[in-house]
Amino acid sequence: MHGRLTPPEIERFLEEGYLCVPDLLRPSDLEPLREEIAGIVDATARGLLREGAIEEAHAGEGFETRLTRLLADRPDLAPAYFRAIEGKGGGGHAGRAMFNVITHPPLLDAVEDLVGPEIIGSSVYRIRPKVPGLNRGVVPWHQDSGYFAPTCDGHLVVTCWIPLVDSTPANGCLRMLPRTHGAGVLPHHTGGNAGFLVILDEDLPAPPEGAVAVPVPLGGVLFLTNLTPHCSTPNETDVIRWSVDLRYQGSDAPTNAFHGPPEVDATAPEVRMACYPPEADFVVRSRALPDSVTTFEEFAARRALYERAAIPGPRRGWQPVPTP
């Protein structure tokens, strides 16, 4: 395993806007999460089989291919599988294996080198199944800050993009525009592919032809800033490009980690709002206040509490993609 980031790696992250560490984790560290997600797919398929919605649950298929087979039979059932896998709003899944990856010490050691010793787990984490042939998996150019509240524009929120299979150009690895994260939050538009925000090519700070594909092996972690423009391309293989993206910030950034939904409303001071208010932040490491570190049980309860609260997301006034 890799251990803490080296000074040259930190410098590369700050200069380029991203950093790939190919050996930060062991593949075995991620196996429980793979099994947890596979269990969700299995339970969903078996439920649909009992209901008569599908004729074959493809139980003999592995983690990398089963969902592909299921959706080839019934593509119209994709929303049912994705709701189960991703949870409400895309980030509601709060299983123990997910929590263990979010709080994995080697990962937090690397994050600490970027944001400091007081680490908040951002509410916005996601499970990403990029299924072959499914248009939903193609993500247009964007910055993560395009989805966050403007009060977070000046703060570093580190995304840790972690593949659960080898990520390659063929199966749609992420693509970056190096050294463009200093341009601030760029104009985004609504109505991109699958409902994603999109930065139009003419609004990018560098020509998209200069994008760099960043393959990441299983066990590797891709770190990027919230201002780094990135996208992903179609999966042209027969293997699902499973991944998770986790986000962390320092304690100086706006957070709801110390507040419940009743305190997070339109009348609350903005500094008490999370970068993404609909979901729950949580403390993952604190040397100053070690008793504030969130347990798994507290994590799961906070996620459920915020789901029920149905707090609206940030309103940035992004305009629809212009019609030709």
Side-chain angles (χ1 to χ4, degrees):
M1 284 185 9
H2 185 85
R4 284 196 176 272
L5 300 181
T6 65
E9 287 174 327
I10 296 171
E11 183 178 1
R12 195 178 316 142
F13 173 83
L14 295 174
E15 289 184 356
E16 301 288 329
Y18 69 94
L19 171 72
C20 178
V21 182
D23 57 350
L24 187 73
L25 308 172
R26 293 182 294 257
S28 59
D29 296 331
L30 300 170
E31 187 57 31
L33 180 55
R34 285 168 48 106
E35 293 175 356
E36 187 168 89
I37 296 170
I40 297 170
V41 174
D42 181 67
T44 305
R46 291 182 185 278
L48 292 170
L49 185 65
R50 286 193 300 270
E51 295 168 5
I54 60 175
E55 297 179 357
E56 171 60 57
H58 295 287
E61 294 285 345
F63 178 67
E64 292 87 354
T65 57
R66 188 176 186 187
L67 188 58
T68 304
R69 305 293 180 262
L70 290 164
L71 293 181
D73 291 347
R74 289 290 306 273
D76 58 306
L77 292 177
Y81 290 106
F82 286 111
R83 278 196 303 271
I85 294 164
E86 299 172 342
K88 182 179 177 181
H93 175 66
R96 186 176 289 275
M98 172 66 84
F99 180 77
N100 288 344
V101 171
I102 292 171
T103 59
H104 193 48
L107 180 60
L108 295 186
D109 287 345
V111 171
E112 181 173 334
D113 290 331
L114 300 175
V115 305
E118 306 299 310
I119 307 175
I120 303 295
S122 171
S123 58
V124 188
Y125 66 82
R126 299 290 184 258
I127 300 171
R128 307 284 190 188
K130 184 188 277 285
V131 179
L134 198 67
N135 189 47
R136 180 183 189 274
V138 180
V139 181
W141 285 109
H142 70 285
Q143 299 163 302
D144 288 348
S145 279
Y147 290 92
F148 297 165
T151 50
C152 293
D153 288 354
H155 295 273
L156 175 61
V157 181
V158 176
T159 291
C160 300
W161 190 86
I162 306 173
L164 301 179
V165 300
D166 290 340
S167 171
T168 67
N171 66 17
C173 67
L174 266 63
R175 297 174 63 84
M176 304 284 156
L177 278 180
R179 298 177 178 244
T180 58
H181 57 298
V185 181
L186 303 168
H188 288 65
H189 289 80
T190 61
N193 180 56
F196 292 117
L197 294 178
V198 57
I199 303 172
L200 304 178
D201 284 359
E202 57 264 34
D203 291 326
L204 290 170
E209 294 78 17
V212 176
V214 187
V216 186
L218 179 64
V221 178
L222 173 60
F223 298 89
L224 60 148
T225 82
N226 44 306
L227 294 177
T228 304
H230 60 287
C231 70
S232 72
T233 50
N235 182 353
E236 298 175 344
T237 73
D238 61 354
V239 172
I240 301 167
R241 196 220 64 190
W242 287 99
S243 65
V244 295
D245 43 86
L246 316 177
R247 292 173 180 82
Y248 303 89
Q249 60 194 56
S251 58
D252 60 326
T255 181
N256 61 22
F258 304 100
H259 308 287
E263 299 168 277
V264 184
D265 57 34
T267 63
E270 288 185 327
V271 72
R272 296 173 60 186
M273 303 290 282
C275 292
Y276 191 72
E279 299 175 18
D281 292 345
F282 43 98
V283 182
V284 293
R285 176 173 287 182
S286 175
R287 305 199 188 283
L289 298 169
D291 291 343
S292 68
V293 173
T294 306
T295 66
F296 168 68
E297 291 75 17
E298 292 167 339
F299 161 78
R302 283 181 58 75
R303 297 295 305 185
L305 192 63
Y306 271 79
E307 276 196 13
R308 293 194 297 271
I311 298 166
R315 295 179 177 85
R316 299 201 62 133
W318 301 132
Q319 298 300 306
V321 173
T323 55

